[in-house]
Amino acid sequence: MTEMTDHRTHVVVVGGGYAGTLAANHLRLRRDIDITLVNPRPVFVERIRLHQVVASTAAATLAYDTLLSAGIRLVVDTVSGIDTGDRQVLLASGAVLNYDYLIYAVGSTGTTPATPSGVPGVAEFAYSVAELESAHRLRYVVTDLPVTAPITVVGGGLTGIETASELAEQGRSVTLVCGGILGPSLSNLGRRSVTKQLRKLGVDVRESVAATEVRWDAVVLGDGAVLPSAATVWTVGFAVPDLAARSGLRTDAVGRLLTDETLTSVDDDRVVAAGDAAAPSGHPLRMSCQAAGPLGAQAANTVLSRIAGNEPAKLNQAFVGQCISLGRSHATFQLAHTDDTPMNVVVGGRVAASIKESICKATVWSIRREATRPGSYFWFKGGNRPARLAANQQVALR
């Protein structure tokens, strides 16, 4: 821990997801910092459980007072802009927060094409599981449907697979429209493991065919087939809030804040990014809580180094794999190289389901432990940065 001074530094963390909450707790390594966490919701959302919200098998929300270290101020509001010149965060309520350093951890969401170039009917008739509110809306719809009513999930990425599995396990009639291959981020063995369980659950998997139109009661496919659909779930695409661009900060094509390898904005060394909305050297990591937590800790370390007058460390992070739930009793754990490329090695079945549930619980536990023991957070290091970009571009919403 660095030596204390009489000056108190104010750090504002924008976004209270996995990265932002971990970053706020990690900043407590210094007691001469005032920390404000700004989040639009009064509760923490376990995004990795949102597919369970749809099937009513989890709530996916936690109270911040069980996660944040004592002394961290929570402001429930939406950030409308960042004035980097005056170092101010402008809130939708009209309030203004001054900062010395800002950690940009606004997260990500799914996309619902509403433009003429998008898929017709998605904005009007499809449902999303990318946000807590949209997952709740879909849950209400699913709850009111007869168990025999057909449900279509569009998107063969991990979110689509998990949502389709969760619903099919309850005896519902589910079709999964992949667009391309099922699970593009998986190895061949991992894909076979997932496919086998989907078949056991009765999911009708449509590979190599895309949805070209969504209607109120059907989905039209590129091969001309029309699938009856009482509820259509759209899990395709990746988007981030446009806050950085609106605030005059440079972003990549998707809208992620461009940073150097210390996660510092290329435009302002008082702004540091973490999580899904960060693009270090233009090479973003895969959207996942596995990436978000370590990015949050490293972003906080960058701020702590700058306060202490030290050179911040470069990003150092490795992946270990992907764990995909296939209902409550089965899963597939896909092992990966440290650069996030998949090995042709998997663990499946009930053992993998136990691993997946342990990961979900451990993710929350690690945030709580960081709140009481700042600096205790551990992450794997040694991953190859450039190689991750190719893997990241293959993954849809996750």
Side-chain angles (χ1 to χ4, degrees), residues 23 99 204 217 279 365 368 375:
Y99 68 84
D204 178 11
D217 62 348
W365 175 84
R368 287 182 170 140

Side-chain angles (χ1 to χ4, degrees), residues 68-330:
L68 290 175
S69 178
I72 295 176
R73 178 191 177 200
L74 173 66
V75 173
V76 180
D77 208 333
T78 300
V79 177
S80 58
I82 301 168
D83 183 343
T84 56
D86 289 335
R87 294 181 194 161
Q88 291 183 329
V89 174
L90 313 177
L91 303 181
S93 64
V96 175
L97 299 174
N98 296 306
Y99 68 84
D100 294 298
Y101 290 92
L102 182 142
I103 294 182
Y104 187 83
V106 297
S108 63
T109 186
T111 59
T112 53
T115 62
S117 60
V119 177
V122 172
E124 295 86 355
F125 304 119
Y127 296 89
S128 169
V129 294
E131 300 287 348
L132 179 65
E133 294 78 11
S134 59
H136 277 153
R137 284 193 292 272
L138 179 56
R139 176 170 65 88
Y140 300 144
V141 170
V142 169
T143 300
D144 288 340
L145 289 176
V147 72
T148 55
I151 296 174
T152 304
V153 178
V154 181
L158 305 191
T159 299
I161 291 169
E162 291 191 330
T163 304
S165 301
E166 202 76 25
L167 293 169
E169 190 179 55
Q170 297 182 336
R172 295 189 176 276
S173 175
V174 180
T175 299
L176 179 61
V177 179
C178 298
I181 63 172
L182 177 73
S185 63
L186 303 176
S187 67
N188 290 333
L189 186 59
R191 196 169 297 114
R192 287 198 295 271
S193 174
V194 169
T195 300
K196 180 179 178 180
Q197 184 58 24
L198 287 173
R199 286 174 178 165
K200 285 184 178 180
L201 291 171
V203 178
D204 178 11
V205 179
R206 305 288 183 101
E207 291 192 81
S208 302
V209 61
T212 58
E213 181 185 357
V214 178
R215 300 173 181 171
W216 73 271
D217 62 348
V219 175
V220 182
L221 304 184
D223 59 6
V226 179
L227 302 176
S229 184
T232 300
V233 189
W234 195 266
T235 69
V236 179
F238 172 95
V240 297
D242 63 352
L243 176 61
R246 285 190 287 107
S247 301
L249 296 166
R250 276 181 285 177
T251 67
D252 67 5
V254 175
R256 289 170 286 219
L257 183 67
L258 287 175
T259 76
D260 63 15
E261 285 295 297
T262 72
L263 299 174
T264 303
S265 165
V266 296
D267 297 309
D268 191 324
D269 62 8
R270 297 289 181 133
V271 177
V272 180
D276 295 340
S281 302
H283 292 183
L285 279 68
R286 175 168 55 86
M287 174 187 171
S288 64
C289 66
Q290 184 180 175
L295 284 170
Q298 291 176 92
N301 279 339
T302 291
V303 172
L304 292 170
S305 294
R306 294 197 185 281
I307 293 172
N310 300 325
E311 186 68 24
K314 292 183 178 180
L315 180 62
N316 187 356
Q317 186 168 335
F319 284 79
V320 296
Q322 305 170 59
C323 203
I324 310 101
S325 66
L326 299 165
R328 293 298 86 213
S329 58
H330 286 75

Side-chain angles (χ1 to χ4, degrees), residues 3 52 182 286 379:
E3 182 179 350
Q52 290 184 250
L182 177 73
R286 175 168 55 86
W379 69 93

